[in-house]
Amino acid sequence: MNLVNGIGTLRNRLSDSHGRGGKPVKPSSRHASLAANTAGAIATFLVETHLDRKPKA
């Protein structure tokens, strides 16, 4: 859950989706890579867990 919440926090704080107030922050490409790779790893884990727990036919 912390990883999922952290990705959401990155999006909210570092993107322009909620408008820019105060001093804007420009994330580096490493931040984008971290967010994308973490999201992919979480999605893969969740799908594999679902398939593993699914009753076998």
Side-chain angles (χ1 to χ4, degrees):
M1 284 304 299
N2 287 336
L3 288 172
V4 173
N5 288 333
I7 292 171
T9 299
L10 276 176
R11 178 198 176 270
N12 290 338
R13 291 191 180 168
L14 299 180
S15 74
D16 59 0
S17 61
H18 292 286
R20 298 214 175 208
K23 186 177 176 184
V25 177
K26 181 168 173 37
S28 68
S29 61
R30 67 187 172 98
H31 293 108
S33 179
L34 175 64
N37 289 324
T38 303
I42 292 169
T44 300
F45 173 78
L46 291 174
V47 169
E48 289 177 351
T49 299
H50 171 72
L51 293 174
D52 188 56
R53 292 183 177 183
K54 204 170 162 181
K56 309 291 184 225

